């Protein structure tokens, strides 16, 4: 059985929006030295053009497939067909359309912002070549109509992420972070690869349409195994526990990279994968439960760890991890529309938070430790407004975008019968409010602490404080980028950060539900004991408590008066469990790095030289010997050849004589 | 039996006639043209003639037509084989232009074109007489071509080829006589009469006919001539022979298997061929291991490769024949490409083919080494080349037709061959101080171009959509 995913046809705009960023990357890479600053404008222009093409393709992407029983929708462009079952093409349906809009739309704003942020970087053109390449890779991931194309995109975004985390490769910490991110992501890629093996073995096709159409023919354990393998990939890419440890380190990359790749788009690929494979997950409750639990744990763990960070970007990194946990929890339990909606609003407000923090970091010459900030409200009023809107949105203050989508996820867990996840969601909402307002108060309230001795603030390695500052402040005096280049994108993002969530207003009749009406399964669910409105009120109460605690600890007049003392005290008394991030890194190191090294030693010293090399040597030797044997028949004498020929003929004749004799 | 010959019959022969006439024109032009232009003239005329023939050939693709009372059958099947033969001729003519000796070039090219005529005749041969005519036309020209070079080994090769080939032709002719005796007709179509299944003449005659086929395809144990002949013949001739002989004979064999078999005898009648094909896959690849000369190595490689193509036909399915044709097309390009590089890295035919000369090639000519690597990977059957896809397709069809043991032979043979091909690749990328002389003939750029075209074809064929691949024409 085959699902026709989307109306097959020729969609030049779809090809254009997919390939433009690749063309941009190639041109910028090839002509970077000639383009100079124009590289930024060109890079932004191609992504902007790609966004326009996306909007123009909107109609195609939302067209229902005529006569399809399964409520299918979208546009399908065939590219290459290969062996039977291996057809490659592009699919634009509401789900991929949403992702493409964010990738190109938010991507465009971040490209423009980067022109200002990276203005005085030596490798300005290289940065935009990588950024454009990332956009292309991410579009490949979400537009592919098959698992292999998705895996190709999956691998390429990992590669782009590796390049961009390690963009400042003269910093050893950046190189280490890039390597860590790459290795963990490759582990995820292998998971997806195994899922594809299992899919091909059972369905004989890689096309989404064929796989989803034949999901009924898969046995339950087999389907569960496929889902688990796919989810390993999703968890690695989306920084889910226990494969999340690369994300905080990835903040070594330039801030626009953190905004685009490690907040808005790439890290949500796992959410996309689970939502895309909704037909698989919907058939297996165990797989759904696993994803939901992992998502819930990640949401809670990220929020707890976010409370213990001092680096502004690491706080945001843990909050990203926690918010993606929400999304994964949502799509995991089956609340696909809610989970995807949280991706949509999160892309805006988290990009805004990162870009806003970038404004601060830029203004303070690469200072990232919030303990050395403070009182920035007056110095950087625009950054304060931008961060305030972002914080209000992420905390789910009613009216801001985050409130709609987060409540949809939390209520969705209850609707689908997971009260514990529901409780985790509410608890996490309170914690989120606490650590985000902590960030806001410590950064913007009180008085500026940038000239206080780092050790007085409890900074453990004062010599490391502001290393980025030392490395990249050389050109600070000659900084000429016009301020609007960075402010305008942030200003534009304020609008969707507030209003994007309103698309969810109206429950089943909201524009959001209409948009996805034909995309996701809609089982009829029992009405839970707690209504949606009550849920919102409970969440709000928790959020209020979180804000209140943060206010009491950091924003009261008393707290601000002895801020230096308090911050030092908090830094010193921080539990080791939290400063070491629950020892995940140490555990992974012990489990995988050390054991691999052990295996490596065993193989390198014993098995490889003795057994494998020996076998190879023997094989090569015997092959050579056989070759010589064959050659020895080749005497070069005609009579010898004729003799062999006649022997052959004799064998043939004996066979045919026997066969024809046996006929009578 | 009377046959009414109309103009349509002659039109069916048009591509062959064009090639034959081109050969005459090349010879005549050589006679009258000034000495310093004859080389260019011969190549240009030959290329023109081949291109015209290839264009004319296409016309018959869509309509099957049995000319001369069924003696020569044109249609999609014959057109595909004829085009492959013309591509081989084109590539070899260009190679000859790049490295051939001036005073013999016109004669060599004329002989090569006539030889191509023979192979093209085999591609459409519908009767035993046409088959024999085609084989002899192909072979007689090749005997002369092999002896062209000024080396004792070349004359020795030509002599061996003549003697052994005559022996094989004798067996084949004897077999044809028996088949004629059984059916009372020379037409292949008349062999399908079910009454013949119990006639011993069909079995013995068919067996002897298959001996001839096996010899032409150089299957083990009828292969002994091929390494010596490949080595002795001038390089472009070897390139041509390795493809054209296989293409023509494979067409004859496919027609015999698919259109000249009384029902129910195919399994038993053809079993020896499949066994011989399986042995060839193993022995051919093993034989490669101890070679020190590229032409000899490619001769053994060809023995194995034709085994793969035969394995595709073993099931007698439509897809099997299409995959055999697909593999033949892929083989044409990878083989021609390998010979083109061999010709390019040295203007002396003997120097160019010695494997020791490939050591350190990547330093002197990275492009040549890279192209050669692609062709060797394709011959070995590794992705992303057409050799890989071809083997996968053949494996699938052979295994599903019930000839699992042939599939196993294919895999084992491939595994052995990897070592031989990898050895050359490794040598090419080793450092070496040994210097190469580079050919500086006027057609060298053209030879480069043909090598690049072959490389592109080898890769692009991998991505041919099934919609195009699986509609290759069948014998009707």
């Amino acid at each position: 059985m085959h699902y026709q995913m989307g109306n097959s046809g020729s969609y030049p705009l779809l090809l254009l929006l997919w390939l433009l960023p690749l063309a941009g990357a190639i041109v910028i890479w090839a002509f970077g030295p000639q383009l100079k600053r124009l590289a930024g404008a060109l890079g932004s222009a191609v992504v902007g053009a790609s966004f326009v093409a996306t909007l123009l393709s909107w109609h195609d992407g939302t067209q229902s497939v005529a006569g399809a029983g399964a409520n299918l929708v979208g546009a399908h462009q065939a590219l290459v067909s290969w062996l039977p079952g291996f057809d490659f093409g592009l699919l634009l349906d509401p789900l991929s359309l949403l992702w493409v809009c964010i990738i190109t739309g938010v991507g465009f704003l971040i490209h423009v912002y980067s022109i200002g942020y990276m203005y005085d970087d030596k490798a300005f053109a290289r940065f935009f070549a990588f950024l454009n390449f990332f956009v292309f890779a991410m579009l490949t991931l979400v537009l592919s109509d098959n698992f292999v194309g998705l895996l190709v995109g999956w691998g390429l975004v990992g590669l782009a992420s590796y390049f961009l985390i390690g963009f400042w490769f003269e910093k050893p910490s950046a190189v280490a972070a890039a390597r860590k991110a790459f290795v963990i992501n490759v582990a995820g890629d292998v998971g997806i690869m195994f899922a594809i093996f299992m899919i091909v073995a059972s369905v004989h096709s890689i096309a989404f349409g064929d796989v989803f159409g034949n999901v009924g023919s898969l046995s339950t354990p087999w389907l569960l195994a496929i889902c688990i393998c796919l989810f390993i990939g999703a968890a690695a890419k989306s920084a889910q526990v226990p494969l999340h440890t690369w994300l905080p380190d990835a903040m070594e990359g330039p801030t626009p990279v953190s905004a685009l790749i490690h907040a808005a788009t790439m890290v949500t690929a796992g959410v996309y994968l689970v939502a895309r494979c909704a037909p698989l997950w919907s058939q297996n409750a165990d797989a759904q439960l696993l994803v939901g639990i992992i998502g819930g744990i990640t949401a809670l763990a990220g929020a707890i760890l976010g409370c213990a960070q001092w680096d502004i970007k690491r706080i945001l990194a843990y909050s990203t991890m926690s918010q993606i946990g929400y999304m994964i929890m949502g799509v995991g339990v089956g609340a696909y529309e809610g989970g995807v909606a949280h991706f949509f609003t999160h892309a805006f407000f988290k990009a805004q938070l990162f870009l806003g923090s970038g404004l601060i970091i830029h203004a303070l010459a690469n200072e990232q430790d919030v303990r050395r900030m403070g009182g920035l409200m007056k110095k950087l009023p625009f950054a304060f407004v931008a961060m305030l809107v972002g914080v209000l949105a992420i905390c789910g203050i009613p009216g801001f975008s985050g409130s709609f989508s987060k409540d949809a996820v939390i209520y969705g867990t209850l609707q689908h019968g997971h009260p514990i996840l529901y409780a985790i969601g509410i608890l996490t909402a309170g914690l989120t409010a606490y650590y985000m307002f902590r960030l806001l108060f410590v950064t913007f309230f009180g008085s500026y602490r940038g000239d206080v001795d780092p050790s007085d603030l409890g900074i453990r390695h004062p010599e490391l404080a502001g290393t980025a500052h030392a490395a990249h402040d050389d050109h600070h005096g000659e900084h000429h980028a016009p301020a609007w280049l960075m402010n305008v994108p942030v200003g534009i993002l304020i609008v969707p950060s507030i209003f994007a969530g309103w698309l969810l207003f109206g429950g089943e009749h909201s524009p959001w539900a209409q948009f996805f009406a034909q995309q996701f399964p809609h089982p009829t669910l029992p009405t839970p004991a707690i209504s949606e409105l009550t849920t919102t009120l409970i969440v709000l109460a928790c959020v209020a408590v979180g804000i209140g605690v943060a206010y009491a600890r950091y924003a009261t007049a008393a707290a601000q008066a002895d801020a230096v003392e308090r911050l030092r005290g908090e830094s010193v008394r921080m539990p080791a469990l939290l400063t070491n991030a629950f020892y995940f890194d140490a555990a992974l190191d012990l489990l995988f790095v050390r054991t691999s090294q052990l295996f490596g030693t065993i193989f390198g010293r014993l098995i490889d030289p003795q057994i494998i090399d020996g076998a190879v040597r023997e094989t090569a030797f015997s092959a050579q010997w056989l070759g010589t044997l064959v050659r020895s028949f080749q005497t070069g004498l005609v009579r010898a050849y004729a003799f062999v020929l006649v022997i052959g003929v004799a064998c043939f004749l004996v066979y045919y004589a026997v066969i024809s004799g046996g006929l009578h | 039996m009377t046959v009414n010959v109309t103009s349509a019959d002659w039109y069916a022969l048009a591509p062959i006639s064009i090639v034959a006439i081109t050969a005459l024109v090349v010879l005549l032009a050589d006679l009258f043209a000034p000495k310093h232009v004859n080389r260019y003239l011969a190549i240009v005329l030959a290329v023109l003639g081949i291109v015209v023939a290839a264009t004319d050939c296409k016309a018959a693709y869509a309509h099957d037509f049995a000319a001369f009372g069924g003696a020569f059958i044109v249609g999609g099947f014959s057109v595909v084989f004829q085009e492959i033969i013309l591509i081989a001729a084109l590539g070899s003519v260009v190679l000859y232009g790049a490295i051939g000796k001036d005073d013999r070039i016109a004669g060599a090219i004329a002989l090569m074109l006539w030889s191509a005529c023979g192979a093209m005749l085999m591609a459409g041969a519908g009767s035993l007489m046409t088959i024999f005519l085609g084989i002899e036309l192909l072979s007689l020209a090749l005997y002369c071509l092999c002896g062209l070079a000024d080396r004792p080994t070349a004359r020795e090769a030509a002599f061996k080829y003549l003697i052994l080939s005559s022996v094989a032709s004798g067996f084949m002719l004897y077999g044809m006589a028996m088949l004629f005796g059984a059916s009372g007709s020379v037409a292949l179509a008349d062999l399908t009469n079910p009454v013949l299944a119990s006639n011993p003449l069909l079995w013995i005659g068919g067996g002897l006919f298959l001996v001839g086929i096996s010899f032409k395809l150089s299957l083990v144990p009828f292969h002994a001539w091929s390494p010596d002949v490949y080595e002795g013949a001038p390089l472009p001739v070897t390139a041509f022979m390795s493809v054209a002989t296989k293409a023509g004979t494979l067409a004859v064999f496919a027609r015999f298997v698919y259109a000249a078999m009384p029902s129910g005898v195919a399994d038993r009648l053809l079993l020896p061929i499949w066994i011989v094909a399986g042995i060839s896959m193993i022995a051919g690849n093993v034989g490669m291991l101890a070679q020190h000369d590229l032409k000899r190595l490619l001769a053994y490689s060809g023995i194995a490769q034709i085994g793969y193509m035969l394995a595709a036909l073993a099931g007698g399915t439509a897809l099997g024949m299409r995959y055999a044709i697909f593999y033949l097309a892929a083989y044409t390009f990878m083989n021609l490409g390998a010979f083109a590089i061999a010709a390019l890295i040295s203007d002396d035919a003997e120097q160019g083919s010695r494997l020791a000369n490939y050591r350190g090639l990547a330093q002197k000519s990275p492009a040549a080494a890279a192209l050669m690597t692609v062709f060797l990977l394709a011959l070995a059957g590794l992705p992303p080349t057409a050799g890989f896809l071809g083997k996968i397709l053949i494996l699938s069809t052979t295994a599903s037709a019930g000839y699992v043991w042939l599939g196993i032979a294919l895999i084992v043979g491939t595994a052995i061959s990897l070592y031989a091909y990898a050895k050359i690749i490794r040598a090419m990328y080793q450092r070496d101080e040994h210097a190469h002389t580079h050919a500086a003939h006027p057609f060298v750029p053209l030879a480069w171009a043909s090598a690049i075209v072959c490389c592109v074809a080898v890769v692009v064929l991998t991505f041919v959509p099934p919609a195009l691949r699986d509609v290759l024409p069948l014998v009707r």
Side-chain angles (χ1 to χ4, degrees):
Chain A
M1 190 185 141
H2 173 76
Y3 266 1
Q4 180 57 45
M5 304 274 288
N7 296 291
S8 291
S10 169
Y11 298 97
L13 271 177
L14 182 54
L15 289 173
L16 186 74
L17 81 89
W18 175 51
L19 292 175
L20 260 180
L22 178 65
I26 293 171
V27 169
I28 296 173
W29 180 262
F31 300 107
Q34 288 80 18
L35 284 168
K36 298 198 176 74
R37 295 277 192 276
L38 271 180
L42 180 67
S44 311
V46 292
V47 178
S50 204
F51 181 56
V52 173
T54 310
L55 294 182
L56 292 176
S57 310
W58 191 278
H59 179 74
D60 293 332
T62 50
Q63 277 291 94
S64 305
V65 177
N71 281 340
L72 290 160
V73 62
H76 178 259
Q77 161 88 46
L79 291 177
V80 184
S81 28
W82 196 53
L83 293 172
F86 287 81
D87 299 329
F88 297 88
L90 301 180
L91 172 69
L92 189 73
D93 63 356
L95 185 64
S96 50
L97 183 61
L98 178 74
W99 249 268
V100 172
C101 278
I102 294 294
I103 295 162
T104 56
V106 176
F108 170 68
L109 294 177
I110 294 174
H111 271 71
V112 174
Y113 178 94
S114 305
I115 303 178
Y117 195 86
M118 303 300 288
Y119 204 76
D120 46 4
D121 199 281
K122 289 188 293 291
F124 184 78
R126 183 165 59 96
F127 182 78
F128 281 92
F130 285 156
L131 222 49
N132 270 7
F133 174 70
F134 166 76
V135 171
F136 164 73
M138 191 70 202
L139 289 176
T140 310
L141 195 166
V142 297
L143 283 174
S144 287
D145 73 338
N146 62 79
F147 281 99
V148 171
L150 179 135
L151 180 62
V152 169
W154 200 270
L156 289 182
V157 290
L159 190 66
S161 158
Y162 171 77
F163 286 142
L164 284 165
I165 296 171
F167 185 75
W168 285 321
F169 53 78
E170 62 271 31
K171 274 202 295 181
S173 57
V175 175
R179 195 171 50 211
K180 184 171 174 184
F182 192 71
V183 169
I184 294 184
N185 274 298
V186 166
D189 296 354
V190 172
I192 295 187
M193 209 186 289
F194 274 95
I196 293 176
F197 293 158
M198 286 189 273
I199 286 168
V200 171
S202 50
V203 184
H204 309 297
S205 173
I206 54 166
F208 289 145
D210 294 332
V211 178
F212 300 157
N214 289 305
V215 66
S217 68
L218 301 174
S219 68
T220 307
W222 193 252
L223 181 60
L224 180 65
I226 290 175
C227 286
I228 288 175
C229 282
L230 283 175
F231 187 63
I232 290 172
K237 194 64 87 193
S238 290
Q240 298 297 294
V241 171
L243 298 175
H244 66 282
T245 58
W246 64 273
L247 185 60
D249 290 8
M251 296 299 123
E252 291 286 346
T255 307
V257 172
S258 312
L260 178 61
I261 301 185
H262 305 120
T265 55
M266 185 190 84
V267 285
T268 60
V271 184
Y272 171 81
L273 182 64
V274 179
R276 171 57 77 202
C277 300
L280 300 186
W281 260 276
S282 308
Q283 298 297 318
N284 195 308
D286 292 339
Q288 283 193 315
L289 189 63
L290 172 79
V291 176
I293 289 173
I294 294 285
I297 291 174
T298 307
L300 187 60
I304 294 173
L305 291 173
C307 303
Q309 300 300 316
W310 295 113
D311 183 310
I312 187 165
K313 283 180 73 182
R314 285 181 85 90
I315 299 174
L316 292 178
Y318 278 109
S319 89
T320 303
M321 178 185 150
S322 163
Q323 299 300 310
I324 299 172
Y326 269 121
M327 302 173 206
I328 291 281
M329 186 167 78
V331 294
V333 299
Y336 296 106
E337 282 165 22
V340 170
H342 200 53
F343 149 74
F344 180 64
T345 58
H346 176 259
F348 295 119
F349 64 68
K350 186 51 67 67
Q352 182 179 358
L353 283 168
F354 266 112
L355 297 187
S357 72
L359 292 177
I360 302 168
I361 295 167
H362 208 67
L364 298 185
N366 294 314
E367 179 58 74
Q368 295 188 187
D369 198 310
V370 289
R371 286 170 292 193
R372 280 161 54 87
M373 298 179 183
L376 296 180
M377 203 194 304
K378 289 187 193 66
K379 272 189 173 180
L380 302 167
F382 181 71
F384 173 65
V385 174
M387 293 293 278
L388 180 66
V389 172
V391 168
L392 294 177
I394 196 175
C395 293
I397 305 300
F400 289 84
S401 60
S403 65
F404 295 93
S405 54
K406 191 185 285 184
D407 289 357
V409 170
I410 295 175
Y411 186 63
T413 55
L414 190 65
Q415 267 184 317
H416 288 81
H418 301 281
I420 296 175
L421 293 178
Y422 175 74
I424 289 179
I426 292 171
L427 180 59
T428 306
L431 282 169
T432 307
Y434 166 72
Y435 72 78
M436 287 313 290
F437 270 91
R438 168 179 178 267
L439 165 69
L440 197 72
F441 291 143
V442 173
T443 310
F444 289 102
F445 286 58
S447 54
Y448 184 57
R449 296 178 297 273
D451 29 23
V452 175
D453 185 348
S455 55
D456 284 348
L457 288 163
I459 297 176
R460 279 191 200 179
H461 304 287
E463 72 279 6
L464 290 180
T467 38
H469 176 161
H472 293 281
D473 198 28
D474 313 345
H475 312 281
H476 200 252
E478 50 193 82
H479 189 262
H480 300 302
W484 65 265
L485 271 175
M486 289 166 70
N487 290 344
V488 168
V490 181
I492 292 174
L493 276 173
I494 289 180
V495 179
S497 292
I498 300 175
F499 296 108
W502 287 87
L503 292 173
L504 273 78
F505 191 72
E508 285 169 24
H509 307 289
S510 65
W512 192 262
Q514 307 269 312
F515 186 65
F516 285 112
Q518 291 173 295
Q519 182 89 48
F520 296 122
H522 292 94
T524 41
L525 298 164
T527 311
I530 308 168
S531 77
E532 197 164 2
L533 184 66
T534 323
T535 305
T536 307
L537 291 177
I538 299 173
V539 171
L540 267 183
C542 280
V543 167
V545 170
I547 297 175
V549 173
Y551 183 82
R553 290 183 57 133
Y554 301 104
T556 55
Q560 279 171 11
D562 57 350
V564 172
E565 195 59 32
R566 281 181 177 230
L567 288 175
R568 191 184 64 204
E570 192 183 335
S571 304
V572 172
R573 285 196 305 275
M574 189 76 77
L577 190 65
L578 291 184
T579 52
N580 289 303
F582 294 133
Y583 294 100
F584 271 113
D585 266 323
L588 287 183
D589 184 69
L590 192 70
L591 264 175
F592 296 107
V593 182
R594 295 291 167 84
T595 41
S596 314
Q597 281 171 343
L598 186 69
F599 272 111
T601 315
I602 294 172
F603 269 93
R605 298 255 169 83
L606 292 169
I607 295 182
D608 201 45
Q610 304 299 328
I611 298 172
I612 296 179
D613 264 11
V616 169
R617 268 197 305 273
E618 287 302 317
T619 313
F621 178 77
S622 41
Q624 201 77 38
W625 180 82
L626 263 178
T628 317
L629 186 74
V630 168
R631 202 172 57 159
S632 64
F633 287 110
Q634 211 73 25
T635 52
L637 296 174
V638 178
R639 59 169 183 269
Y641 294 180
F643 179 68
V644 174
L645 200 160
V646 171
I647 297 274
V649 174
C651 292
F652 264 52
L653 286 181
V654 168
Y655 171 80
Y656 286 111
V658 169
I659 279 283
S660 60
L663 295 170
H664 297 291
Chain B
M1 185 172 74
T2 53
V3 173
N4 292 322
V5 176
T6 66
S7 60
D9 293 329
W10 295 108
Y11 280 131
L13 278 183
I16 300 180
S17 314
I18 292 171
V19 176
I21 291 167
T22 307
L24 277 178
V25 172
V26 166
L27 276 186
L28 284 175
D30 185 56
L31 207 56
F32 296 113
K35 197 97 182 124
H36 58 279
V37 298
N38 60 1
R39 175 192 196 83
Y40 301 93
L41 205 59
I43 303 294
V44 170
L45 284 173
V47 168
L48 266 179
I50 290 170
V51 170
V52 171
T55 321
D56 182 63
C57 198
K58 272 193 331 212
Y61 186 84
H63 341 270
D64 284 11
F65 175 63
F68 302 103
F72 187 70
I73 302 166
V74 290
F77 178 79
S78 71
V79 167
V80 170
F81 276 93
Q82 288 182 340
E83 295 284 4
I84 289 175
I85 292 159
L86 287 171
I87 288 171
L90 185 69
S92 310
V93 163
V94 168
L95 282 191
Y96 224 110
I99 66 165
K101 296 275 189 296
D102 274 16
D103 51 339
R104 296 215 177 105
I105 194 153
I109 284 174
L111 281 168
M112 212 184 275
L113 292 178
W114 280 322
S115 181
C117 288
M120 286 166 77
L121 196 60
M122 289 162 81
S127 86
L128 296 172
M129 296 229 304
T130 337
I131 292 173
F132 194 71
L133 193 64
I135 288 183
E136 288 308 295
L137 183 51
L138 168 75
S139 307
L140 282 174
L142 282 179
Y143 303 149
C144 304
L145 278 169
C146 290
L148 265 188
D150 268 332
R151 280 174 283 122
T153 51
R155 282 190 284 277
E156 189 189 324
F159 179 71
K160 273 182 193 161
Y161 192 20
L162 172 67
I163 299 282
L164 293 169
S165 184
S166 303
V167 172
S169 288
F171 282 122
M172 190 173 190
L173 203 55
Y174 194 28
M176 285 177 171
M178 289 186 182
L179 290 176
F180 176 71
S183 71
S185 158
V186 289
L188 284 179
D190 292 334
L191 287 173
T192 52
N193 188 348
V195 181
L196 294 178
S198 55
N199 190 338
L201 275 182
L202 172 92
W203 294 87
I204 307 284
L208 288 173
F209 177 78
L210 291 177
V211 164
I213 295 285
S214 309
F215 179 86
K216 288 295 161 194
L217 293 176
S218 68
L219 292 171
V220 177
F222 310 104
H223 69 290
W225 60 278
S226 83
D228 289 9
V229 172
Y230 274 44
E231 188 187 12
L235 208 146
V237 173
T238 314
F240 174 74
M241 181 160 70
S242 64
V243 174
T245 318
K246 287 191 180 73
T249 317
L250 192 69
V252 167
F253 179 67
R255 207 181 279 281
F256 183 73
V257 173
Y258 282 75
M261 213 44 62
S263 60
V265 307
D267 282 348
R268 280 169 299 161
L269 185 65
L270 297 172
L271 183 66
I273 278 275
W274 309 140
I275 293 174
V276 161
I279 296 173
S280 299
M281 285 187 237
I282 309 278
N285 284 322
V286 168
M288 277 202 302
L289 297 174
Q291 300 308 321
H292 302 294
D293 182 283
L294 185 75
K295 286 196 287 179
R296 281 190 85 86
L297 184 130
L298 287 178
Y300 279 106
S301 151
I303 291 170
Q305 306 278 352
I306 195 69
Y308 305 151
M309 291 176 227
L310 291 185
L313 298 176
T317 60
L319 265 187
M321 182 186 291
R322 284 169 174 150
Y323 293 161
I325 297 176
F326 177 80
Y327 197 85
L328 176 68
Y331 172 71
T332 302
F333 286 112
M334 50 210 186
N335 207 40
L336 279 181
F339 277 111
I341 299 297
L344 280 168
I345 67 159
S346 166
D347 57 346
D348 180 352
E350 277 193 280
Q351 283 291 313
S353 66
R354 270 224 302 276
L355 280 182
N357 286 359
Y358 288 81
R359 182 181 290 270
L361 180 63
Q363 274 169 278
K364 283 137 218 158
S365 176
L371 287 170
M372 193 64 166
T373 305
V374 173
F375 299 131
L376 292 175
L377 289 181
L379 286 166
L382 293 182
T385 63
F388 168 70
L389 178 61
K391 275 188 187 161
I392 293 281
L393 295 175
I394 290 174
L395 260 182
S396 68
T397 182
T398 309
S400 60
Y403 287 86
V404 177
W405 56 274
L406 267 180
I408 293 171
L410 191 153
I411 293 171
V412 171
T414 302
I416 297 170
S417 75
L418 280 179
Y419 177 69
Y421 294 119
K423 222 167 58 169
I424 308 177
I425 296 176
R426 190 188 62 183
M428 287 196 298
Y429 286 92
Q430 266 172 353
R431 298 198 136 270
D432 190 60
E433 304 312 315
H434 186 269
H436 283 272
T437 52
H438 278 272
H441 285 289
F443 285 99
V444 163
L446 210 54
W448 270 109
S450 62
I452 291 168
V453 167
C454 287
C455 175
V456 171
V458 162
V459 175
V460 166
L461 278 177
T462 317
F463 299 103
V464 168
L468 287 176
R469 196 180 59 217
D470 292 347
V471 295
L472 284 168
L474 299 172
V475 166
R476 272 187 280 264

